Amino acid sequence: MAIKQLHDFLKNYFLAHHCEIIHDGGDRLTVQLTENMDKILMNRPFYWHYMKKMGYTGEPQQITLITNPTEPNDKGEHIHFGSPRLQQILNHLKEKERFTRLFQHVETHKQHALYPWLIVNMKISYIGKQRKDEMLSIGLHLIKGIMKSDMMNVLKQIPLQMTIPDYCYTISPMIRLKSGFRRIESVVEDYIQNQTHTWAVESTNTLEEELALLNHFYTNMEGCEEQQAQMKKEKEEIYERLSPSIQIQVVNGGLFYLKESRI
């Protein structure tokens, strides 16, 4: 995942959870957590239990996340795919907020239509000799069938709320959610197929080299049952470690009702 993509993903995540962005340096993000987000991310159950018991308000912490691995981690922590902190955030989204329904905030005194968008955030993992992860945010207009990428960046420009605004009404989807999700899946699959997968070739070459070395090492041990079992085990480990594969994971998504003029 590119540094910019990860940074934007984190910023959107904290803004969606009503946290204040104290500093946005492009590759360094300082956030003032809410009490709820402090409880989720900062692992301070005894602190909050004590505050509640004593009748105190408590002070949520600030957190600084650094997406650029070349930046010094003074007064902050590096975050990347595979890091415990990002996994914690993704698990939170997966367990608690995988699917949502939101409405664009509209101030109006006359009838106004809001149109349905299915928006899905996906993580693509390219797994082999090295691992690469990428986030895609795709939106599908459930009336017109048009599709847009980078939808999380579009949404952060739009005020959203959990209830439909006064004087507004929703247009019923022409495309069912299940069918819409399949369309998005198809677009993601096409996107993956059109990538240059040199990483998979490199991983396969390394796998074959390690298998050749392993076979050479055990050439004179074919009569030993114990050594054959060990050889089989090591081969399985090589295949598990180096066989190229691609995984697609839905991080979260939702049904968003938006003004037609906004997209």
Side-chain angles (χ1 to χ4, degrees):
M1 183 184 204
I3 292 172
K4 180 70 165 57
Q5 287 178 300
L6 178 55
H7 182 89
D8 288 344
F9 169 77
L10 293 170
K11 183 177 178 180
N12 290 331
Y13 169 77
F14 287 113
L15 287 175
H17 291 84
H18 312 292
C19 297
E20 180 185 358
I21 305 299
I22 303 297
H23 174 73
D24 181 1
D27 49 21
R28 181 183 291 262
L29 192 69
T30 300
V31 179
Q32 175 61 60
L33 299 175
T34 62
E35 179 179 333
N36 185 54
M37 290 302 291
D38 187 295
K39 291 177 179 178
I40 291 169
L41 298 178
M42 303 311 290
N43 193 27
R44 301 196 296 163
F46 296 111
Y47 170 80
W48 289 108
H49 176 75
Y50 176 78
M51 290 293 107
K52 182 177 180 181
K53 185 176 181 181
M54 299 302 294
Y56 298 151
T57 302
E59 296 184 5
Q61 292 183 327
Q62 291 185 8
I63 185 172
T64 297
L65 300 175
I66 305 164
T67 54
N68 189 340
T70 64
E71 283 289 308
N73 64 344
D74 55 305
K75 299 182 181 180
E77 60 178 281
H78 283 123
I79 185 168
H80 53 83
F81 271 102
S83 67
R85 178 67 73 191
L86 186 56
Q87 193 59 49
Q88 181 188 36
I89 290 171
L90 293 175
N91 286 341
H92 172 234
L93 289 172
K94 181 178 179 181
E95 293 169 9
K96 303 296 183 182
E97 302 179 21
R98 191 161 188 173
F99 191 86
T100 188
R101 184 176 69 167
L102 294 172
F103 304 85
Q104 181 177 346
H105 175 73
V106 180
E107 294 184 1
T108 181
H109 297 290
K110 60 181 181 179
Q111 293 292 306
H112 205 104
L114 297 179
Y115 294 81
W117 283 81
L118 173 62
I119 297 175
V120 180
N121 297 317
M122 291 185 172
K123 181 177 78 168
I124 305 173
S125 298
Y126 305 89
I127 304 170
K129 183 180 179 180
Q130 295 179 332
R131 178 177 178 132
K132 175 188 174 184
D133 296 281
E134 183 178 14
M135 289 289 297
L136 294 181
S137 182
I138 300 174
L140 173 66
H141 194 301
L142 293 178
I143 303 296
K144 296 182 177 180
I146 62 174
M147 206 169 290
K148 299 282 187 179
S149 61
D150 203 23
M151 281 298 296
M152 286 304 294
N153 278 329
V154 174
L155 287 180
K156 71 181 181 182
Q157 308 295 331
I158 302 174
L160 299 169
Q161 59 187 62
M162 298 185 69
T163 58
I164 187 168
D166 293 339
Y167 300 102
C168 290
Y169 61 95
T170 60
I171 304 297
S172 298
M174 298 292 292
I175 303 171
R176 293 186 178 183
L177 289 179
K178 188 173 183 180
S179 175
F181 180 73
R182 286 175 179 167
R183 292 193 191 191
I184 292 175
E185 273 189 321
S186 178
V187 167
V188 172
E189 289 169 358
D190 289 343
Y191 170 79
I192 292 171
Q193 290 179 1
N194 290 327
Q195 300 301 304
T196 302
H197 297 294
T198 54
W199 62 274
V201 176
E202 292 172 359
S203 189
T204 300
N205 290 341
T206 303
L207 183 151
E208 293 174 351
E209 289 170 2
E210 292 200 15
L211 286 178
L213 286 172
L214 187 70
N215 289 330
H216 178 74
F217 179 77
Y218 284 99
T219 297
N220 299 322
M221 302 181 183
E222 294 182 7
C224 178
E225 187 173 320
E226 182 179 342
Q227 293 295 335
Q228 286 296 306
Q230 179 63 26
M231 179 181 179
K232 181 180 178 182
K233 179 183 177 182
E234 292 184 26
K235 277 188 175 181
E236 291 173 351
E237 290 174 351
I238 291 173
Y239 276 110
E240 182 177 352
R241 179 166 50 87
L242 293 173
S243 293
S245 64
I246 298 175
Q247 295 179 359
I248 303 174
Q249 176 187 351
V250 175
V251 177
N252 60 1
L255 186 59
F256 293 77
Y257 287 92
L258 308 175
K259 290 169 59 177
E260 189 70 355
S261 60
R262 290 301 306 235
I263 305 297

